[in-house]
Amino acid sequence: MWKSGSIRFVLLMTLLFESGSFLTMERGFDVDHTNATLWCSMPKACDEHGFTDWFKVGRYCVKYFKNPVNFTEAEFKCRSKAPGAHLVSVHKEKHNNYLLCLVKKLNPRNLRFWLGGFEFFKSGHFFWIDGSYWNYQIWTRGEPNHMYTSTEECVEMNWKEVGKWNDDSCNVKKNYICAFKRSDMLKVDQE
Ligand SMILES: *[C@@H]1O[C@H](CO)[C@@H](O)[C@H](O)[C@H]1NC(C)=O
Ligand SMILES: *[C@@H]1O[C@H](CO)[C@@H](O)[C@H](O)[C@H]1NC(C)=O
Ligand SMILES: [Ca+2]
């Protein structure tokens, strides 16, 4: 009974996985493997002309880039991808989950990526590089563990705990997610 139930479960997961709307199975490394069946929902396509391969996350359109670079380089690359784009900022759990789902779908074997968060000159305060307010955070237990020093000043997601953040050395190369504010795009279009 247990066996046939679990087979049915696997079939269901396979179907959902192939439909593309849901993701299952960590398959990841570096992460918490205890929960192998985290479900997630993908964000919808970005509705800005010319950016329909980006995804809509709140007021932003975001895109994942599978090209490991250090934090600075990642920010520079983001600025070249779209007007007003920066490394992504996160302001809600729902949006954090969208980013996680995107990475799970696009690169299940390496979930770690740069967010646009950084510690402001050893102040113990974190900022978003797009200038938005730091009004939400979801740190891994015990993190950030290098405040007030210059060893780990940049923020990544998915180091030890899936969906949680960690301060890491800005020199480390990671994939990254860029974002631009949808209203910024409208302003650019009007100019
Ligand atoms: C797996 O994740 C779900 C959703 O986050 C949670 O409700 C559930 O308790 C988790 N199960 C285990 C065994 O950690
Ligand atoms: C980041 O990478 C760029 C390009 O490879 C390099 O020029 C720069 O020195 C690196 N910066 C840091 C802080 O590692
Ligand atoms: Ca850390």
Side-chain angles (χ1 to χ4, degrees):
M1 185 174 152
W2 182 87
K3 227 176 182 176
S4 76
S6 77
I7 286 166
R8 221 173 299 142
F9 187 60
V10 167
L11 283 173
L12 175 67
M13 301 293 242
T14 308
L15 282 172
L16 288 170
F17 187 81
E18 280 174 4
S19 80
S21 343
F22 290 95
L23 293 154
T24 59
M25 314 294 230
E26 282 311 333
R27 276 187 291 160
F29 301 62
D30 273 334
V31 293
D32 181 1
H33 295 267
T34 55
N35 206 332
T37 53
L38 271 178
W39 298 72
C40 71
S41 61
M42 283 288 287
K44 294 198 171 70
C46 170
D47 49 6
E48 298 285 348
H49 179 70
F51 295 90
T52 50
D53 57 335
W54 293 52
F55 291 89
K56 192 158 66 173
V57 173
R59 293 174 56 208
Y60 298 90
C61 284
V62 311
K63 189 173 181 183
Y64 174 69
F65 292 92
K66 204 172 177 178
N67 168 31
V69 290
N70 64 40
F71 182 90
T72 312
E73 189 69 17
E75 169 64 11
F76 288 162
K77 291 212 182 289
C78 284
R79 290 179 184 209
S80 72
K81 303 294 182 189
H86 294 279
L87 278 170
V88 69
S89 59
V90 189
H91 304 280
K92 275 185 183 177
E93 182 177 7
K94 183 179 171 187
H95 299 165
N96 199 66
N97 289 341
Y98 275 147
L99 301 185
L100 173 59
C101 199
L102 212 52
V103 177
K104 279 184 171 180
K105 177 174 182 192
L106 298 175
N107 195 3
R109 293 181 170 278
N110 180 8
L111 298 179
R112 295 174 75 169
F113 70 95
W114 286 128
L115 297 170
F118 66 98
E119 184 188 357
F120 194 70
F121 292 109
K122 308 183 198 173
S123 64
H125 296 287
F126 284 87
F127 283 65
W128 293 116
I129 204 160
D130 67 3
S132 58
Y133 282 116
W134 189 273
N135 53 5
Y136 169 79
Q137 54 192 11
I138 180 165
W139 294 107
T140 301
R141 273 166 293 174
E143 304 297 334
N145 65 339
H146 280 99
M147 290 197 294
Y148 313 107
T149 74
S150 52
T151 50
E152 295 191 341
E153 299 187 292
C154 293
V155 180
E156 66 164 339
M157 194 198 286
N158 296 330
W159 168 51
K160 266 201 316 201
E161 296 178 27
V162 177
K164 304 277 177 74
W165 306 352
N166 169 48
D167 57 342
D168 199 3
S169 164
C170 305
N171 302 338
V172 177
K173 294 182 178 178
K174 297 181 198 296
N175 300 312
Y176 54 97
I177 291 183
C178 301
F180 62 83
K181 246 181 214 163
R182 291 155 66 220
S183 53
D184 283 355
M185 284 303 295
L186 294 177
K187 272 183 233 152
V188 167
D189 286 346
Q190 283 160 7
E191 277 161 8

